[in-house]
Amino acid sequence: MKLHGYFRSSAAWRVRIALNLKGLDVEHVSHHLRHGGQRDPAYLALNPQGLVPTLALDDGTVLTQSLAIIEWLDETHPQPALLPKDPIARAKVRAFAQAIACDTHPVQNLKVLNRLRELGHDGAVALAWAADVNIDGLSACEQLAAKNSGPFCFGSEPGLADICLVPQLGNARRFKVDVTKFPRLLQAEAAAMELAAFRDAVPDRQADAE
Ligand SMILES: N[C@@H](CCC(=O)N[C@@H](CS)C(=O)NCC(=O)O)C(=O)O
């Protein structure tokens, strides 16, 4: 399999964690987002959204959207499970993951920040926007996770919620958010970073890191 990504992409980072937890090896193909690699026609033929990640399977199947890719990985490689079996617990984990992946990350991604600059806002305004969006999303996640026992977001094993949380905390720090406001999330992150699957997925450890 080939994972099309970029070291700093938090959506690709989620998939890297999931692959590591499942013990799966892939070839990494980097697309330099700041140089517009995601809009290269050859890449757009794979992923018409011009976003990373994309997972290309050995049989030619192409999967896009990190949550869809991770759920496919979980269905085809069930151990260790990334979602609980109980339907209510699954819905809660998905809600946490979507609070990050659907409602927080998309409004602070590169495309949105570039658009703010094109509309005449200076870099500081774009960064303040990104920080505010992270504070909103992570504040809600802090409350969602606080309802559960730890150390991970939903109990004693890592799962989809932690996979989304750790890269988003990385984004929040990049946008200078004071993450000490989120002690329950930091507890889950600390537990995750005890695991090689999470440590090996961090941007700085990727071959395309700058
Ligand atoms: N919902 C998508 C988001 C993908 C996404 O926004 N990827 C970012 C990097 S984290 C990207 O490719 N940005 C390129 C751009 O904004 O032009 C997913 O979860 O896969």
Side-chain angles (χ1 to χ4, degrees):
M1 294 191 284
K2 283 186 188 169
L3 178 64
H4 295 262
Y6 180 58
F7 76 105
R8 205 178 271 131
S9 157
S10 54
W13 184 352
R14 294 174 201 145
V15 176
R16 293 197 298 265
I17 298 168
L19 287 164
N20 291 348
L21 285 168
K22 299 290 184 185
L24 297 172
D25 261 343
V26 294
E27 184 184 333
H28 291 269
V29 184
S30 176
H31 300 269
H32 200 300
L33 300 187
R34 293 203 177 270
H35 296 169
Q38 70 277 34
R39 292 186 294 278
D40 185 282
Y43 184 65
L44 286 173
L46 281 180
N47 184 331
Q49 283 193 284
L51 298 171
V52 297
T54 296
L55 188 69
L57 310 189
D58 293 337
D59 69 0
T61 305
V62 173
L63 300 178
T64 61
Q65 286 288 341
S66 62
L67 294 189
I69 294 170
I70 292 167
E71 290 219 17
W72 174 82
L73 283 169
D74 205 33
E75 285 158 9
T76 53
H77 301 81
Q79 296 305 323
L82 302 179
L83 282 163
K85 285 207 170 59
D86 171 69
I88 294 289
R90 281 168 92 81
K92 291 191 175 200
V93 172
R94 284 187 172 126
F96 182 103
Q98 289 173 22
I100 290 175
C102 303
D103 294 332
T104 305
H105 169 263
V107 274
Q108 54 97 99
N109 76 3
L110 182 62
K111 203 182 210 172
V112 170
L113 301 186
N114 283 343
R115 188 75 185 121
L116 285 175
R117 290 184 191 107
E118 281 164 20
L119 290 170
H121 300 288
D122 69 18
V125 171
L127 288 183
W129 164 271
D132 281 352
V133 163
N134 272 277
I135 291 167
D136 275 0
L138 292 173
S139 299
C141 287
E142 173 76 13
Q143 292 185 49
L144 293 173
K147 295 181 178 150
N148 313 307
S149 60
F152 294 98
C153 292
F154 287 83
S156 58
E157 301 297 331
L160 183 64
D162 307 280
I163 287 172
C164 290
L165 172 66
V166 169
Q168 197 60 43
L169 282 170
N171 284 351
R173 288 189 182 96
R174 207 147 49 82
F175 297 125
K176 312 273 185 246
V177 171
D178 173 13
V179 296
T180 61
K181 290 189 250 202
F182 311 120
R184 178 67 183 87
L185 300 182
L186 292 183
Q187 179 196 26
E189 181 193 42
M193 296 310 284
E194 295 279 315
L195 305 175
F198 281 82
R199 284 197 305 275
D200 291 345
V202 302
D204 288 355
R205 290 206 186 176
Q206 307 313 302
D208 57 340
E210 291 166 354

